[in-house]
Amino acid sequence: MSAEVRTERLLLRRARPEDLEDLHAVLSNAAAMRFWSTPPHASLDETREWLERLIASPEDESDDFVVEFEGRTIGKAGCWRIPEVGYILHPDFWGRGFAREAMEAVIAHAFARFPVEALTADVHPRNRASLGLLKRLGFNQTGRAEHTWCVAGEWSDSVYLALPRPVIRSIDASETP
């Protein structure tokens, strides 16, 4: 299994214990966590437990990466559980194309590594930025549901999306000029 995926500007790699402080900066940020499935992390210990679970995730169930830019961990992207994708970046790095760049790499990596028919996503309906990004990446809405996540006593709804595995057409020898 490849532990790293490089893009033009990013390094996607497996999480390490030394990512703790940078990931805590993301996971304790209220703006970053606004549409996440948990409230912002209140302590470094909470992030440490989260990071330990990420590191210990079974390779046949999870394909998650930390996102590194210029030597700094700025978020994570990947499949927290195959085939569901997700991502989160520190707000200092929003609006610069990093989420798209990371997710394009994640999508290619996941389809190359796992025999899934589609990748899926569960997005809060008010998260217009993520819904727009996933649409630009080729995801289509497959459904909606109410009251799917309870975060800090507040219920959230879900928009479900899917990206089918690309069809690779082989060229028959009779089709070549």
Side-chain angles (χ1 to χ4, degrees), residues 37-54:
S37 57
T38 64
H41 289 192
S43 71
L44 199 59
D45 286 337
E46 185 177 1
T47 303
R48 183 177 289 110
E49 290 174 16
W50 180 90
L51 178 58
E52 288 170 355
R53 286 191 306 273
L54 178 64

Side-chain angles (χ1 to χ4, degrees), residues 112-133:
R113 184 164 178 238
F114 296 96
V116 295
E117 292 302 313
L119 296 175
T120 63
D122 178 346
V123 180
H124 192 292
R126 290 193 319 255
N127 191 343
R128 297 284 177 223
S130 281
L131 289 169
L133 171 60

Side-chain angles (χ1 to χ4, degrees), residues 58-69:
E59 290 181 14
D60 60 337
E61 296 176 13
S62 177
D63 197 30
D64 240 340
F65 300 92
V66 297
V67 178
E68 190 177 294
F69 174 67

Side-chain angles (χ1 to χ4, degrees), residues 14-149:
R14 300 299 175 210
R16 301 184 295 239
E18 55 268 27
D19 294 318
L20 178 63
E21 289 186 20
D22 284 343
L23 286 172
H24 183 68
V26 176
L27 299 172
S28 64
N29 185 290
M33 297 292 282
R34 181 167 182 220
F35 299 115
W36 202 249
S37 57
T38 64
H41 289 192
S43 71
L44 199 59
D45 286 337
E46 185 177 1
T47 303
R48 183 177 289 110
E49 290 174 16
W50 180 90
L51 178 58
E52 288 170 355
R53 286 191 306 273
L54 178 64
I55 292 169
S57 295
E59 290 181 14
D60 60 337
E61 296 176 13
S62 177
D63 197 30
D64 240 340
F65 300 92
V66 297
V67 178
E68 190 177 294
F69 174 67
E70 295 181 347
R72 176 179 171 195
T73 297
I74 63 169
K76 77 146 213 96
C79 295
W80 73 280
R81 287 293 178 259
I82 304 300
E84 188 170 345
V85 298
Y87 52 92
I88 186 169
L89 296 179
H90 192 281
D92 289 352
F93 298 91
W94 291 358
R96 296 164 61 180
F98 291 131
R100 182 181 183 120
E101 189 173 328
M103 287 304 296
E104 286 173 343
V106 162
I107 289 165
H109 186 267
F111 278 133
R113 184 164 178 238
F114 296 96
V116 295
E117 292 302 313
L119 296 175
T120 63
D122 178 346
V123 180
H124 192 292
R126 290 193 319 255
N127 191 343
R128 297 284 177 223
S130 281
L131 289 169
L133 171 60
L134 292 169
K135 182 177 181 180
R136 288 188 301 278
L137 291 170
F139 282 76
N140 294 304
Q141 184 175 324
T142 59
R144 295 176 83 92
E146 294 181 356
H147 299 100
T148 53
W149 295 93

